[in-house]
Amino acid sequence: MSLSRPGGAVAGLMLLLTLGTLGAVAWRAEYASGLARADWAAIRFTVWQAVLSAVLSVGLAIPVARALARRAFRGRSLLVTLLGAPFILPVVVAVMGLLTVFGRRGVVSEGLGTLGLPPLDIYGPWGVVLAHVFFNLPLATRMLLQGWLAIPAERFRLAAALGAPVGRLLERPMLRSVVPGALLVIFLICLTSFAVALILGGGPRATTVELAIYQSLRFDFDLGRTALLALCQFALCAAAAALAFGVTVPDGMGGGLDRVVMRWDGSRWLDALWIGAATLFLMAPLLAIAWRGIGSWPDMPPTVWAAAGRSVAVALISAALAMAFALALALRPGPLATLAGVLPLAASPLVVGTGLFVLVYPFVPPGAAALPVTALVNAMLAVPFGVRVLAPAVAQAEAVHGRLADALGLSGWRRLRVVLLPRLRRPLGFAAGLAAAISMGDLGVIALFAGPGEATLPLEMYRLMGSYRTEAAAGAALLLVSLSLALFWVFDRGGRVAEV
Amino acid sequence: MKTTATIAGLLFATASAAGAQTLTIYTYDSFVPDWGPGPAIEEAFEAQCDGCDVEFVAAGDGAALLSRLRLEGERTEADIVLGLDSNLVAAARETDLFAPHGVEAEFDLPVEWNDDVFLPFDWSYFAFVAGEETEAPANFRELAESDLSIAIQDPRSSTPGLGLVLWVQEAYGDEAAEIWEGLADNIVTVTPGWSEAYDLFTEGEVDAVLSYTTSPAYHLIGEDDPTKTSWAFDEGNYLQVEVAAVVESTDQPELARDFMEFVTTSGFQSVIPTTNWMYPSVTPEEGLPEGFETLTQPEGGLLLPPQEAADMRDEAIATWRDALSQ
């Protein structure tokens, strides 16, 4: 069997889950009003903040990832795991953590106050960008770090021996192949931002397309306009993807022997500064969340634990599905698989959920479908990250060992097992960890489908928040963060066992 | 494996439940958990209904509830929908999915309520909740002139947020835009829902938050904290009235009607104050729990009739948006 065949089926499934669900929503529409003036303002703001957030996140990630790539120190592996944490935080939890540090009564404002300065005003368009950088800097750093680690150690040795400029000869070609993809992914994540933009945006100036979708679906029940707005998001996605892939230059330098990289270039102090600054920026809000949650641990009702168990089960299934889907897409060359690998990022979870509801409702009671559908949708949301991480690794493994494998007549399943999978261990571990953590923290579509007693941990946390129990909710948030991080660490670690 | 078992379990549960008398009630999220009103109400009704089974299905918030029912249409499993806000009543009525409740009751509401389809089960006044040390403004104008910081909810995604813009529109009419422009520098931020705004308040990010006059009761009774209060405004405080309705396509019309009758009795109403933290729509025999007498009593309650609220909604939201976007 050809290795590219399952990719076609998966691409079809992704298109069904994104464009198909949109179609289902449009099909149920009884009437449609066009886009209003306010919608265009929302589109402008959405694009503006997404571009800025993507550029800043990736721009700051370059020095941080380079510093992490070329320095070895005690605790580096733990730090790399922890630095990934903000990306997998549930939005409301992360925003509250950020406010504890940067809010009007936050640590920074208190500090400014003792110096006689006015408090920090985080609310506004810049607050939205700050929060998006907080979320996505870790992701950008990890994506670039993978790029750096993929440059074979032999190259650096050779460059050091010859006194050749590492930046121009080795790093710049790698960045040219990785940066456009990273920019695209973060742009698309910020494109569908909803709660961050609202809470930190400070008012209706910071209205995003996703909010307009929410309003037209929930309050107006205008399914036609909902579908139109969702289509706008996909159009923006397609335009951004075309642009990003247009400027990507594949890195075709061949492979090495997977040795540990030793570096002789760069300033030790500057690298320490970048790592220190990123750690402070990313870890302070996390500490605030832990601090808030640890005291209220005993306040948590027992239902939280049952919800946690359900969430872990869903996360494991999602991670397995997401890896199967992502690998299938990564093994299939061509535009269809590429498109299917980014489209889920631009999908509005609310539209996907509603569309699936319309599709599933005639056959299965929504309550019965709640957990399977949540696992499937969470897997879909993680596929783009999996593809971004796996596709370059597959390409490189093929570039290095492809000809030998051809000569030996290895194909199909055996080629995957013998040639590819051993080289995909690290990216697979990372991507599976990411998928499990994303699924863990995402509210997903369960709120739309939930029947009696089917709550996942994020839903349970929202329910606690919704009935004045902020203390218990803070405890649940800490449990959620801890479990997400633990899942991420186990997979990521599993993928790295091979190296020393 | 686990999911297969879950699906099978649920399918069987639904199949067997169809045999017994099951009353399926769609409600909002915070109604169903152990600490919400759901479990106690379920127990009380099951004790009197002779072998029936009440099943609560949580479907997001009030607005999500209605959109889920509209998606399901006449084929819905729901027998009763409980938890629509009075501002959603006009939209709910237009769907023609609901049937008259047939209940006669004397409501303890500050306004007149006559509706043969939508039955109020609890209510409260919208109000800004603050610490008692904060000096209370007497109305929106004073609030706008003060340095107080507030958090509000977005009227496009939350029912309290919608209540607030209707409140300002009803109290100030043509001057509403001016009020919102004055409030712009007091509003620290606008959140998607009630929970996020309330969290900002409890974390000390803002001096006051839009919530209910009954919110301080939670802090007093639930946390033994008497320091929270709410502000009565002299233009009157807007009301939130939450209603229940029978779904026309129900396969349990008699049981549904029994439940609607039960809604106005003490078995239901006495659960509401200390689980949903709202006023009961019919004061139960034993009166209100201790502590409720300390709550702020606004002089007047404002409430637009459902159709007028629906007609005014778009204009009120546009006024709010334009004034705050400048």
Side-chain angles (χ1 to χ4, degrees), chain A residues 86-421:
Chain A
F87 180 67
I88 55 185
L89 287 180
V91 172
V92 177
V93 176
V95 168
M96 291 307 162
L98 273 177
L99 288 178
T100 316
V101 178
F102 298 104
R104 292 156 44 90
R105 304 278 150 83
V107 180
V108 177
S109 291
E110 294 286 330
L112 288 173
T114 55
L115 297 174
L117 295 166
L120 211 59
D121 189 10
I122 188 183
Y123 302 95
W126 291 102
V128 177
V129 173
L130 176 87
H132 281 159
V133 171
F134 172 74
F135 273 112
N136 295 307
L137 178 60
L139 179 70
T141 305
R142 278 306 293 260
M143 285 168 81
L144 296 184
L145 191 57
Q146 298 279 350
W148 250 290
L149 295 180
I151 302 178
E154 293 81 0
R155 297 285 150 68
F156 288 109
R157 267 171 197 280
L158 193 60
L162 296 175
V166 167
R168 194 161 58 79
L169 288 181
L170 299 180
E171 297 180 329
R172 210 173 292 165
M174 182 279 293
L175 287 174
R176 280 214 61 183
S177 77
V178 178
V179 163
L183 279 173
L184 174 69
V185 167
I186 295 172
F187 171 80
L188 293 177
I189 293 174
C190 299
L191 200 63
T192 51
S193 172
F194 170 47
V196 170
L198 254 188
I199 301 177
L200 292 174
R205 257 165 310 175
T207 295
T208 56
V209 180
E210 190 69 21
L211 173 70
I213 289 178
Y214 191 93
Q215 182 194 7
S216 63
L217 191 57
R218 282 291 162 82
F219 271 59
D220 303 337
F221 203 67
D222 185 342
L223 296 178
R225 182 159 159 264
T226 305
L228 206 57
L229 286 164
L231 205 57
C232 282
Q233 275 185 344
F234 284 122
L236 287 170
C237 167
L243 197 67
F245 294 128
V247 298
T248 304
V249 179
D251 185 9
M253 291 203 299
L257 298 170
D258 293 357
R259 282 189 217 158
V260 177
V261 175
M262 283 175 70
R263 298 283 296 265
W264 294 270
D265 59 318
S267 153
R268 196 174 284 266
W269 290 109
L270 207 57
D271 284 351
L273 191 71
W274 276 110
I275 295 176
T279 309
L280 196 64
F281 174 57
L282 298 174
M283 288 301 115
L286 274 186
L287 281 178
I289 294 163
W291 179 249
R292 244 187 109 182
I294 204 112
S296 28
W297 202 266
D299 293 337
M300 283 194 294
T303 46
V304 168
W305 297 100
R310 235 171 267 134
S311 276
V312 170
V314 169
L316 292 175
I317 295 168
S318 287
L321 283 177
M323 285 312 96
F325 294 164
L327 191 58
L329 289 177
L331 287 171
R332 186 187 171 90
L336 179 69
T338 312
L339 183 69
V342 285
L343 218 47
L345 280 178
S348 153
L350 197 61
V351 173
V352 172
T354 308
L356 275 176
F357 193 97
V358 171
L359 294 175
V360 163
Y361 182 68
F363 310 104
V364 190
L371 290 182
V373 165
T374 305
L376 181 66
V377 172
N378 287 351
M380 176 202 88
L381 292 174
V383 161
F385 304 108
V387 173
R388 285 251 63 82
V389 175
L390 290 177
V394 168
Q396 195 166 27
E398 281 289 346
V400 179
H401 305 283
R403 270 175 296 177
L404 182 60
D406 286 341
L408 292 172
L410 284 171
S411 66
W413 182 243
R414 285 181 58 212
R415 188 187 185 100
L416 180 68
R417 199 166 50 83
V418 176
V419 182
L420 296 176
L421 281 183

Side-chain angles (χ1 to χ4, degrees), chain B residues 31 35-45 48 108 120-123 221 261-290 292:
Chain B
F31 205 86
W35 55 87
I41 285 170
E42 181 177 340
E43 199 181 321
F45 186 66
Q48 70 167 61
D108 296 300
F121 65 90
D122 69 10
W123 65 280
I221 299 168
E261 197 73 55
F262 169 72
V263 164
T264 58
T265 63
S266 291
F268 184 104
Q269 295 288 329
S270 63
V271 176
I272 291 295
T274 55
T275 51
N276 225 22
W277 306 102
M278 299 282 277
Y279 285 115
S281 63
V282 178
T283 312
E285 289 147 26
E286 66 269 31
L288 292 170
E290 199 185 322
F292 268 66

